[in-house]
């Protein structure tokens, strides 16, 4: 889907006209590279930084400028977008001594698209305000396909009026924007979406297992669900991939575990229980522990399969709960404040017990 945009967007902001020309984009992974591509298509000048440069090569070949750090990327940008993985990545990019809060120019807009912690979003907003910069959380939904099509739904922690200056840029990669009016509001709403998604995924995985074990046609069951009340966005878009054995990531399993963990942490703060999210966390944590963290979330259905099918897909059940007695002293990836003796979690403190080994981020990055 293409839209024609002017090469810069004049916007009224507190009585002055803000010309947005230069955009910096940090985090050009599955989602970020696509979103940044739409921003370029809309005619903005783009500077990019990603931890692994190769993932920005396509954008560079199209004329984007490479920066050697988030600070360098942000130096003269009117708007800086971030789309990194974990809250701890967001914290690094914004709040370290050479982070965006200090490095961006006064008056710049800092917009975090990552699914991250609501409290961290509030901290970043407040820190930016002190430095005369504008920051807000703006997580997205719509998946890889939404990023490819430029039709993402944005969930913004700001009022519609306050976001007006950057609306043309946001519209270059979205088709709908919901405003939750306060810092962190976008992240909280996104976590609500994620707990619903997580239960929908467990729901369709259960349904497919029941169909297959009963010896009826699982594809036809999906059709029934789609034409009745048992279907969901997850069963429409991801269940066919599960059935086809296509576990390539659009949305990484480890990222959904992170999101559910953040939601469970929030539920603890509120002193409520979320049984559906608890179940989903247990299952996604298991999938990540046995080697599925960089698979797409649709690989959840592998947990219901015979071991041979899991092995063929690259999973290893012997990794489950390995090293439970290993003590470690690391910062949890979920990025919220755990204090000294937290239980690591991918976002919540459930069920690991003392001295567990952390499985919350099986990716390659260091603790
Ligand atoms: P991804 O492919 O892992 O992309 C994240 C990118 O951020 C990676 O390229 C990573 O670098 C980079 N990065 C991480 N920390 C960095 C840092 N400190 N400095 C610079 N770059 C850094 O993940 P994704 O699927 O695009 O998801 C990104 C975020 O959006 C996640 O929070 C996810 O939960 C959320 N989300 C994803 C989807 C989806 O369908 N994929 C949908 C909605 C929301 P490396 O290349 O070195 O790893």
């Amino acid at each position: 889907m293409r839209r024609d945009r002017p090469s810069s967007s004049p916007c009224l902001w507190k009585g002055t006209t803000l010309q947005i020309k230069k955009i910096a984009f940090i985090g050009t992974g599955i989602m970020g590279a696509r979103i940044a591509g739409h921003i370029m298509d809309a005619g903005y000048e783009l500077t990019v930084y990603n931890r692994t440069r190769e993932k920005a090569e396509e954008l560079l070949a199209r004329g984007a400028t490479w920066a050697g750090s988030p600070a360098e990327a942000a130096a003269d940008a009117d708007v800086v977008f971030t789309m990194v993985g974990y809250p701890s990545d967001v914290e690094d990019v914004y709040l370290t001594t050479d982070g965006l809060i200090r490095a961006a120019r006064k008056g710049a807009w800092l917009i975090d698209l990552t699914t991250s912690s609501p409290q961290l979003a509030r901290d970043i907003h407040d820190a930016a305000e002190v430095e005369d910069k504008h920051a807000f959380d703006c997580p997205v939904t719509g998946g890889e396909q939404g990023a490819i099509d430029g039709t993402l739904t944005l969930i913004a922690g700001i009022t519609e009026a306050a976001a007006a200056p950057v609306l043309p840029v946001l519209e270059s990669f979205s088709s709908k924007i919901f405003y939750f009016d306060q810092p962190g509001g976008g992240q909280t709403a996104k976590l609500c979406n994620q707990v619903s998604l997580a239960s929908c995924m467990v729901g369709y995985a259960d349904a497919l297992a029941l169909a297959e074990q009963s010896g009826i046609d699982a594809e036809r069951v999906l059709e029934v669900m789609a034409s009745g009340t048992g279907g969901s966005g997850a069963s429409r878009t991801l269940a066919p991939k599960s059935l086809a054995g296509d576990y390539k990531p659009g949305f990484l399993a480890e990222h959904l575990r992170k999101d559910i963990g953040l939601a469970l942490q929030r539920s603890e703060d509120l002193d409520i229980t979320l049984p559906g999210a608890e179940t989903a966390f247990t299952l996604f944590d298991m999938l990540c522990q046995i080697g599925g963290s960089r698979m797409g979330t649709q690989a959840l259905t592998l947990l219901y399969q015979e071991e041979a099918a899991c092995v063929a897909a690259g999973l290893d059940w012997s990794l489950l709960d390995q090293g439970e007695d290993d003590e470690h002293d690391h910062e949890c990836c979920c990025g919220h404040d755990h204090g000294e003796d937290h239980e690591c979690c991918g976002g919540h403190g459930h069920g690991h017990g003392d001295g567990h080994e952390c499985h919350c981020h099986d990716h390659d990055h260091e603790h």
Side-chain angles (χ1 to χ4, degrees):
M1 180 174 172
R2 291 275 345 105
R3 296 186 195 85
D4 293 326
R5 294 276 162 210
S7 58
S8 65
S9 310
C11 302
L12 262 185
W13 174 242
K14 291 183 180 167
T16 59
T17 301
L18 175 76
Q19 289 282 343
I20 293 176
K21 288 186 181 160
K22 295 187 174 183
I23 311 271
F25 204 103
I26 294 155
T28 54
I30 294 172
M31 298 294 280
R34 301 297 192 165
I35 295 170
H38 290 296
I39 291 172
M40 283 186 87
D41 290 344
Y44 298 99
E45 277 175 50
L46 190 75
T47 301
V48 292
Y49 171 70
N50 190 59
R51 186 169 51 201
T52 308
R53 180 178 166 139
E54 290 73 53
K55 293 187 191 169
E57 289 298 350
E58 234 178 275
L59 292 163
L60 299 178
R62 290 184 49 200
T65 303
W66 174 254
S69 67
E72 197 182 310
D76 65 348
D78 304 310
V79 181
V80 184
F81 285 101
T82 49
M83 185 46 136
V84 292
Y86 284 83
S88 53
D89 299 324
V90 174
E91 201 170 337
D92 279 353
V93 167
Y94 280 85
L95 297 177
T96 49
T97 46
D98 56 351
L100 295 177
I101 296 294
R102 291 226 181 137
R105 64 164 186 73
K106 292 217 180 292
W109 286 83
L110 310 175
I111 304 174
D112 185 27
L113 307 172
T114 316
T115 305
S116 177
S117 138
Q119 182 56 51
L120 181 57
R122 287 188 282 274
D123 292 347
I124 288 171
H125 169 270
D126 293 351
E129 202 165 58
V130 170
E131 299 276 339
D132 289 331
K133 296 155 197 179
H134 317 279
F136 67 95
D137 48 306
C138 193
V140 311
T141 185
E144 185 187 18
Q145 197 56 52
I148 291 169
D149 296 341
T151 57
L152 289 167
T153 295
L154 310 187
I155 316 168
I158 189 170
T159 64
E160 184 169 0
V166 290
L167 188 60
V169 197
L170 297 178
E171 286 182 335
S172 71
F173 58 88
S174 69
S175 58
K176 201 176 270 184
I177 307 178
F178 289 94
Y179 296 94
F180 280 84
D181 294 353
Q182 53 191 339
Q187 295 296 356
T188 303
K190 169 74 183 183
L191 295 183
C192 297
N193 183 76
Q194 296 309 83
V195 296
S196 177
L197 166 65
S199 284
C200 288
M201 296 213 58
V202 176
Y204 93 64
D206 281 2
L208 292 185
L210 187 59
E212 282 171 347
Q213 292 302 315
S214 305
I216 61 169
D217 184 338
E219 279 182 32
R220 296 207 67 206
V221 168
L222 284 184
E223 286 174 30
V224 171
M225 288 162 58
S227 71
T229 53
S232 64
S235 64
R236 264 195 314 282
T237 59
L238 293 170
K241 290 187 181 185
S242 298
L243 277 183
D246 171 7
Y247 306 118
K248 188 173 156 288
F251 182 34
L252 294 165
E254 67 173 17
H255 282 165
L256 184 53
R257 175 179 58 174
K258 172 249 313 173
D259 297 349
I260 309 167
L262 286 165
L264 289 172
Q265 177 61 47
R266 185 75 191 117
S267 76
E268 284 187 357
D269 297 343
L270 295 168
D271 206 14
I272 59 171
T273 53
L274 302 175
E278 297 268 2
T279 301
F281 185 87
T282 302
L283 294 175
F284 277 100
D285 190 40
M286 204 180 270
L287 176 63
C288 291
Q289 283 189 50
I290 65 173
S293 51
R294 304 292 293 179
M295 292 179 174
T297 50
Q298 69 276 15
L300 181 69
T301 53
L302 279 168
L303 298 181
Y304 298 69
Q305 310 266 320
E306 299 291 336
E307 187 163 2
C310 293
V311 171
L315 299 181
D316 179 355
W317 278 101
S318 74
L319 296 173
L320 188 64
D321 289 333
Q322 218 180 55
E324 281 265 317
D325 294 324
D326 273 4
E327 292 262 16
H328 68 178
D329 178 21
H330 76 287
E331 277 182 25
C332 184
C333 63
C334 57
H336 58 78
D337 265 346
H338 286 291
E340 288 288 310
D341 57 350
H342 82 280
E343 285 181 11
C344 189
C345 56
H348 77 99
H350 293 251
H352 285 299
D354 288 337
H356 77 284
E357 181 178 83
C358 175
H359 298 292
C360 64
H361 38 161
D362 293 341
H363 51 83
D364 295 327
H365 319 312
E366 286 177 6
H367 288 314

